[in-house]
Amino acid sequence: MQTETQERLIRTEYSEIMQKSYIDYAMSVIIARALPDVRDGLKPVQRRTLYDMYELGIRYDRPYRKCARIVGDTMGKYHPHGDSSIYEALVVLAQDFKKGLPLVDGHGNFGSIEGDGAAAMRYTEARLKKITQEAYLADLDKDVVDFIPNFDETEKEPLVLPVKVPNILINGAEGIAVGMVTSIPPHNFGEVIDGVIAYMKHPDMNTAEMMKYIKGPDFPTGGIVTSQKELHAIYSTGMGKIRLRGRVEVEKGKGGKDRLVITEIPYTMIGAGIGKFLNDVYTLVETKKTSDIVDISNQSSKEGIRIVLELRKGADMDNLCNLLYKKTKLEDTFGVNMLAVANGRPETMGIIPLIRHHVEFQYELATRKYNTLLAKELEKKEIQEGLIEACDVIDLIIEILRGSRNIKDAKKCLMQGETKNIKFRKESSKKLAARLHFTERQATAILEMRLYRLIGLEIEALLKEHDATLKNIALYEDILSNRDTMAKVIIKELTAFKKAYALPRRTELANLEEAVYVEKQIEEKEVVFLMDRFGYARTIDVAVYERNKEAADSENRMILPCKNTDRICIFTNKGQLHMMKVLDLPYGKFRDKGQPVDNVSNYDSSREEMVYLAVLGAIMDKKLLFGTASGMIKVVAGSEFDVSKRTTASTKLQEEDEVIFIQELKETDSGSLVMQSEKGMFLRIEAASVPEKKKTAIGVRGIRLAPADRLTNMYLFDGNCGDIIAYSGENEVVLNRLRTGSRDTKGVKR
């Protein structure tokens, strides 16, 4: 038994198993899930959904059917990867703002360009578009593509749909695989058809010649491509970036006020991008990047995009537009990576290889189609010739049928002239019957022929049908043997599609300079920062402060002279530093209400306490003394707090520790520092003995505390100061009477 078990074990490296398994998984995602096939431009889920609708008979001229039925049938027969992926693919195929040529006719809520999701599949209905039936699913009954077993081998599904137009360019594609991504922009239907026809006539054409027909992408949302000169390199290599810009129009308003109206958006702004754009504009106004915008409203509807920006009188239009291009998604880039599955492997291709693959596929489809049609016409010809010949000897055939005991004998006589088992009235008839040599197909047709076919008009119709069949055979043989004739047939069909379904170009192509926004220089002036006991802050003019100095000093807990271009540093007990721009604070009259500090910075008064407030410009050349509850102290240069982030660490803290003291350190050797603990321990040291550290350092121990004790206060003063400190009721300590000790000692009990 042990030997038998050992024989079933396969010894191998774990890394090899993982590598092979991951490669198999990656290839499955790449080929069978995420990337489109270059021939029909469809991902497997899209292909299966369209084919299932075709099989269910949900045609353009028939009633809509519930999407839940389509999704369920597709999942049960062809795509066992979950209903959400199938329904999402179905919804996208019906959205005219995502697809240059929608392939599904949706009925109900199929989402909006502003990012609203589609209704649940049980509420929505769908059917195929007419173009989908004519150009994507036609000829499936003519053996034009191979069929393969589905996932459980109970059904057959097409390996690729017989798409007659270059869908991969018309509708584009987006997909994320394992280690690779595809992003193909949509193009204009008519231009792409013209490009294919031109290539079929001149297969040696280059990218520049092709771009005379396919000038560039054509996005359903319109907009402007501002980098037309870069398209040649993108179409040559299949990779690059396209700069897109929304369309902005100026409308005259009342009272000399103008408004900017955005009527087209970049393709990348579809969905949540519109809401983000509105928020970005609000932010520009709130942060005072612009004062030209007084209101913004989204008036978009089914008729199209309409985002209105109301402007103040005399607004600088050009500079404002450039600001929107630079600071919002009104100008964006679309990354191009023309990656598709070709001959069973992923490949990045330029526009010429994409069209070459499509044209080769069209020739393959046409060859298989006309081979099938030719075989059917040859079969019809054989039967028609047999029936025509039978009409000439119909009396003999009737005599054979009347003299036969069964169909087998009659058929044998018709095919081989076997008369042994048949009774003839005349000997001459027997001799004539012996000469018959119909084929099996002809004999079957004769035996199944109805008597009305012997009417004179019916015989004439049969002769006409035979003539038409001969013409069809000649035509099909010419198409199959002559590539130029086949090309003319394909071109004729493409021209008909263009005439029926082509739309004018929506996206403008241009070479525009990159937007340059000139930020208005703020006039620097002296102001006074005021913060009351509730944490409301504002700034006022220096002259206003001087006139109301007494009231200001009594009503506010923090008063700092600064410049309007300065930043205020908020140091908290959690060791955080929050930056606040003075420009973000309200500026005006003395009695105007301020703004909560929490609203203009990342400071949160519910989670942390403000320990120290300072103007960044005032402490840049100074040094700050830090003290924590665990007795750690250090000196930090003020220049270390000049950071661009709104929030950063002001110091490093040990676990369960917090900052209790920060103060500017004056440059004097006579300065003293007194540390006071919760249990009444005092230690006086020379301020100069505190070492300077980086803000990321913890510092050094200032006082050695008992296990349950903590530092509560620190006092920085001149050595001659006689300040009296009261604590624990009536106890008092005179600071300059404390004996100066050494750092990292216990101090004295008071």
Side-chain angles (χ1 to χ4, degrees):
M1 185 66 183
Q2 186 176 4
T3 306
E4 190 177 324
T5 304
Q6 288 176 345
E7 288 177 356
R8 291 200 299 266
L9 294 176
I10 300 173
R11 292 188 174 276
T12 184
E13 282 289 333
Y14 181 74
S15 59
E16 293 177 5
I17 291 289
M18 288 295 294
Q19 184 179 12
K20 182 180 182 304
S21 299
Y22 190 77
I23 289 174
D24 291 344
Y25 161 74
M27 289 305 297
S28 174
V29 172
I30 291 168
I31 304 299
R33 298 280 293 274
L35 299 186
D37 192 293
V38 71
R39 293 170 290 181
D40 62 4
L42 297 169
K43 297 180 187 179
V45 64
Q46 297 171 326
R47 184 181 305 119
R48 290 164 175 168
T49 303
L50 293 176
Y51 178 67
D52 185 76
M53 293 176 72
Y54 176 80
E55 284 292 288
L56 289 174
I58 312 175
R59 315 295 169 83
Y60 77 94
D61 52 354
R62 296 184 186 177
Y64 294 95
R65 297 283 288 276
K66 285 289 185 182
C67 290
R69 170 65 193 277
I70 299 168
V71 171
D73 203 63
T74 304
M75 184 169 63
K77 289 182 178 178
Y78 310 115
H79 197 75
H81 301 293
D83 57 351
S84 60
S85 62
I86 300 171
Y87 185 51
E88 184 179 343
L90 179 63
V91 167
V92 171
L93 288 172
Q95 292 177 329
D96 57 2
F97 52 85
K98 280 191 178 178
K99 293 294 180 184
L101 183 71
L103 304 180
V104 171
D105 181 7
H107 184 243
N109 177 12
F110 273 76
S112 73
I113 193 171
E114 297 181 44
D116 301 315
M121 68 180 82
R122 61 183 178 273
Y123 301 121
T124 55
E125 299 175 333
R127 65 185 178 188
L128 292 172
K129 287 266 192 181
K130 187 177 181 182
I131 178 66
T132 312
Q133 286 181 218
E134 294 178 351
Y136 286 71
L137 294 161
D139 300 331
L140 275 171
D141 58 339
K142 297 181 176 64
D143 190 34
V144 289
V145 293
D146 294 331
F147 279 73
I148 57 174
N150 68 337
F151 62 91
D152 60 0
E153 299 188 356
T154 57
E155 301 278 346
K156 294 282 188 179
E157 62 174 306
L159 185 64
V160 64
L161 290 187
V163 179
K164 298 178 181 179
V165 294
N167 179 64
I168 199 164
L169 286 174
I170 292 169
N171 274 329
E174 290 182 4
I176 300 173
V178 178
M180 55 186 67
V181 62
T182 184
S183 180
I184 304 173
H187 293 76
N188 183 269
F189 186 91
E191 290 181 6
V192 172
I193 297 296
D194 288 341
V196 172
I197 294 173
Y199 178 83
M200 293 180 71
K201 293 178 179 178
H202 306 285
D204 57 344
M205 67 191 309
N206 56 33
T207 302
E209 292 169 335
M210 177 59 70
M211 289 184 67
K212 294 177 182 177
Y213 304 94
I214 305 176
K215 300 175 175 61
D218 187 26
F219 296 100
T221 55
I224 304 168
V225 171
T226 63
S227 54
Q228 185 181 13
K229 58 177 180 270
E230 298 173 11
L231 293 178
H232 182 272
I234 292 172
Y235 283 145
S236 297
T237 62
M239 298 180 69
K241 290 184 178 180
I242 298 173
R243 274 195 294 126
L244 293 173
R245 187 178 287 183
R247 188 175 298 279
V248 181
E249 297 176 357
V250 179
E251 291 183 0
K252 295 294 181 183
K254 296 179 181 179
K257 295 180 180 179
D258 296 330
R259 61 169 71 101
L260 286 181
V261 181
I262 299 164
T263 57
E264 295 176 5
I265 60 173
Y267 187 67
T268 53
M269 200 191 282
I270 290 175
I274 295 179
K276 187 177 186 309
F277 170 74
L278 297 174
N279 287 333
D280 288 343
V281 175
Y282 290 140
T283 302
L284 290 176
V285 175
E286 287 177 358
T287 58
K288 298 182 176 60
K289 290 288 184 183
T290 178
S291 57
D292 291 337
I293 301 173
V294 296
D295 189 27
I296 180 171
S297 59
N298 186 2
Q299 302 174 10
S300 303
S301 63
K302 291 181 179 179
E303 282 68 42
I305 293 293
R306 182 178 171 83
I307 301 172
V308 181
L309 279 68
E310 301 284 349
L311 308 181
R312 66 171 177 80
K313 192 173 182 179
D316 187 345
M317 294 287 187
D318 293 336
N319 204 39
L320 179 58
C321 286
N322 287 337
L323 172 65
L324 296 175
Y325 293 143
K326 293 292 285 185
K327 301 294 184 181
T328 72
K329 291 291 184 180
L330 192 59
E331 180 173 295
D332 203 2
T333 57
F334 181 92
V336 178
N337 186 20
M338 296 188 188
L339 179 69
V341 177
N343 301 319
R345 55 179 292 178
E347 183 180 344
T348 300
M349 294 167 276
I351 196 166
I352 293 292
L354 283 175
I355 291 178
R356 183 189 306 120
H357 279 289
H358 171 75
V359 170
E360 289 173 356
F361 182 52
Q362 296 312 301
Y363 280 121
E364 180 187 339
L365 292 177
T367 301
R368 294 181 64 162
K369 173 184 175 180
Y370 288 106
N371 271 325
T372 302
L373 292 175
L374 178 60
K376 289 182 178 179
E377 292 298 319
L378 290 172
E379 182 181 329
K380 284 171 60 178
K381 173 177 174 288
E382 181 183 340
I383 293 171
Q384 289 166 352
E385 288 176 346
L387 292 176
I388 291 169
E389 186 179 342
C391 289
D392 293 339
V393 291
I394 191 64
D395 294 334
L396 175 62
I397 290 173
I398 292 173
E399 189 174 344
I400 292 170
L401 295 176
R402 294 184 67 181
S404 301
R405 287 183 296 179
N406 53 52
I407 293 177
K408 183 179 180 183
D409 292 341
K411 194 171 184 179
K412 203 169 185 181
C413 180
L414 291 174
M415 292 173 60
Q416 302 171 8
E418 181 66 54
T419 59
K420 184 170 62 175
N421 297 325
I422 300 175
K423 293 180 181 180
F424 290 92
R425 292 179 180 179
K426 302 176 184 177
E427 188 63 29
S428 59
S429 296
K430 186 175 183 180
K431 291 180 180 179
L432 290 172
R435 297 175 188 172
L436 295 176
H437 57 280
F438 290 104
T439 65
E440 183 178 358
R441 193 175 282 121
Q442 290 173 336
T444 302
I446 291 168
L447 292 172
E448 294 175 351
M449 182 177 66
R450 297 186 179 184
L451 289 177
Y452 79 86
R453 297 298 299 270
L454 300 176
I455 300 172
L457 290 176
E458 288 295 324
I459 294 173
E460 288 181 14
L462 181 61
L463 292 172
K464 287 181 180 179
E465 284 180 17
H466 183 56
D467 290 340
T469 301
L470 293 176
K471 289 180 181 178
N472 286 338
I473 290 171
L475 174 63
Y476 298 156
E477 287 178 341
D478 181 37
I479 290 173
L480 290 168
S481 60
N482 191 330
R483 192 175 176 89
D484 290 339
T485 306
M486 185 180 287
K488 289 178 182 177
V489 171
I490 296 172
I491 289 171
K492 182 179 179 181
E493 199 169 30
L494 289 173
T495 304
F497 286 139
K498 178 189 173 184
K499 185 177 180 181
Y501 301 107
L503 294 172
R505 167 172 279 278
R506 288 163 285 197
T507 301
E508 180 185 341
L509 303 175
N511 287 310
L512 303 179
E513 295 294 329
E514 188 173 351
V516 177
Y517 169 66
V518 180
E519 193 167 353
K520 293 181 179 178
Q521 295 297 320
I522 299 168
E523 183 183 351
E524 188 175 270
K525 61 181 180 180
E526 299 287 340
V527 295
V528 177
F529 169 85
L530 304 176
M531 187 178 75
D532 62 22
R533 62 183 182 277
F534 301 109
Y536 281 74
R538 66 192 189 281
T539 58
I540 59 174
D541 190 76
V542 175
V544 174
Y545 170 72
E546 293 295 340
R547 288 197 301 271
N548 301 274
K549 188 175 186 308
E550 186 176 343
D553 292 348
S554 62
E555 296 173 7
N556 294 281
R557 66 166 171 162
M558 188 61 65
I559 301 172
L560 296 172
C562 58
K563 295 179 180 177
N564 59 343
T565 55
D566 268 331
R567 286 182 289 170
I568 305 295
C569 301
I570 304 173
F571 295 87
T572 73
N573 64 325
K574 300 294 185 182
Q576 294 293 307
L577 167 62
H578 303 293
M579 287 294 189
M580 176 173 57
K581 291 183 178 179
V582 174
L583 284 172
D584 292 341
L585 296 168
Y587 171 79
K589 298 177 181 177
F590 178 70
R591 290 299 175 188
D592 285 350
K593 188 177 180 181
Q595 184 89 342
V597 173
D598 300 46
N599 293 357
V600 290
S601 69
N602 292 337
Y603 171 68
D604 185 354
S605 57
S606 64
R607 294 190 300 107
E608 51 191 346
E609 296 177 10
M610 193 181 300
V611 177
Y612 186 64
L613 207 67
V615 179
L616 179 62
I619 64 170
M620 283 290 290
D621 298 328
K622 304 291 179 20
K623 299 184 188 300
L624 297 183
L625 176 64
F626 280 73
T628 73
S630 65
M632 306 303 291
I633 59 175
K634 67 175 179 179
V635 172
V636 182
S639 58
E640 288 211 32
F641 303 111
D642 184 12
V643 293
S644 58
K645 294 181 180 179
R646 293 188 68 186
T647 298
T648 187
S650 64
T651 185
K652 186 176 181 181
L653 292 174
Q654 294 174 317
E655 194 173 349
E656 303 298 330
D657 199 5
E658 64 176 348
V659 178
I660 63 163
F661 179 85
I662 302 175
Q663 190 169 324
E664 181 183 323
L665 187 64
K666 296 181 180 179
E667 296 181 2
T668 172
D669 292 332
S670 59
S672 294
L673 173 65
V674 173
M675 291 168 277
Q676 176 188 352
S677 80
E678 195 174 53
K679 293 188 175 182
M681 301 299 295
F682 287 83
L683 175 62
R684 176 182 177 183
I685 63 172
E686 295 292 339
S689 68
V690 182
E692 184 174 334
K693 299 282 186 180
K694 294 289 185 182
K695 68 176 184 179
T696 53
I698 294 176
V700 297
R701 187 184 288 117
I703 182 173
R704 190 178 295 274
L705 297 170
D709 203 2
R710 66 190 299 272
L711 206 61
T712 56
N713 293 298
M714 293 176 62
Y715 309 97
L716 188 62
F717 64 96
D718 187 275
N720 298 320
C721 177
D723 288 347
I724 298 175
I725 304 301
Y727 76 98
S728 297
E730 299 179 357
N731 295 330
E732 293 182 346
V733 173
V734 181
L735 295 181
N736 65 345
R737 291 183 182 178
L738 290 170
R739 183 171 57 83
T740 302
S742 300
R743 182 174 55 78
D744 196 16
T745 58
K746 292 182 178 181
V748 294
K749 176 77 173 177
R750 293 285 177 167

